[in-house]
Amino acid sequence: MEWIVLIIVAVIVIGGILIYNNLVRFRNQVDEAWNQISVQLKRRHDLIPNLVNAVKGYMEFEQETLTRVTEARNAAVSAAGQGAAASAGAENFLTGALRQLFALVENYPDLKANQNVLQLQEELTTTENQIGFSRQHYNATVRELNQSIQTFPNVLLAGIFGFKEREYFQIEEADTAVPEVNLRS
């Protein structure tokens, strides 16, 4: 009889250890995926001042747009440490400001031909694509963690060990289409 109780206790303890280790693994994967997004967002944030400076001389009468892009970039940088929801909101605002800037660039033939602007636009497009891939990876790992926390028997131990569900990094529906700017007209 004592052996049966010891075996049951051992199975419960081993099961608890396995559940805990899986939850830790999922949490670490989410943290790693978020760090990948942060790297790409930082690259995006670093490119924007260069782009603004490159177009500033050509767009004398569009200072309001340039100011809006700069302010949106600063808000996105500030929101970076505040979690996925805050970052997503700030990044959505920044994307809108960049779209407006690129739309205005179309009105300036000299600017469309500027190699520096073309290169920055290409780098920004590449970075946007990398952010999209990183966001997909992050959201997939968040889904795995959240499902693990919500399912039985993990749900019994997740709260005890302090595991919490994470937020998805979502973009607004209007931002799902990649802005396309043709500066080579």
Side-chain angles (χ1 to χ4, degrees), residues 16-31 144-151 153-167:
I17 290 170
L18 292 174
I19 289 171
Y20 178 80
N21 287 340
N22 276 332
L23 290 171
V24 168
R25 181 172 53 87
F26 287 136
R27 182 184 61 199
N28 289 342
Q29 288 175 341
V30 169
D31 291 343
E144 289 178 18
L145 174 66
N146 290 350
Q147 283 177 341
S148 183
I149 288 172
Q150 296 167 355
T151 56
N154 297 10
V155 69
L156 301 174
L157 298 176
I160 293 170
F161 291 127
F163 290 93
K164 294 182 178 12
E165 292 182 31
R166 298 285 183 96
E167 300 172 324

Side-chain angles (χ1 to χ4, degrees), residues 95-116:
T95 298
L98 286 172
R99 280 192 181 142
Q100 185 177 10
L101 174 64
F102 287 140
L104 288 173
V105 165
E106 289 294 317
N107 296 329
Y108 295 86
D110 292 341
L111 192 54
K112 291 192 311 188
N114 183 296
Q115 288 301 316
N116 190 30

Side-chain angles (χ1 to χ4, degrees), residues 20-86:
Y20 178 80
N21 287 340
N22 276 332
L23 290 171
V24 168
R25 181 172 53 87
F26 287 136
R27 182 184 61 199
N28 289 342
Q29 288 175 341
V30 169
D31 291 343
E32 175 192 6
W34 180 252
N35 288 336
Q36 290 302 316
I37 289 176
S38 295
V39 167
Q40 299 307 324
L41 292 177
K42 181 174 180 349
R43 177 169 166 68
R44 179 189 197 201
H45 300 157
D46 290 347
L47 286 171
I48 291 171
N50 295 333
L51 180 63
V52 168
N53 287 333
V55 301
K56 192 181 286 185
Y58 292 95
M59 300 176 71
E60 298 170 9
F61 303 108
E62 308 293 348
Q63 291 303 313
E64 181 180 330
T65 300
L66 297 176
T67 301
R68 189 174 302 121
V69 169
T70 302
E71 289 172 353
R73 182 244 182 219
N74 292 340
V77 168
S78 297
Q82 299 174 9

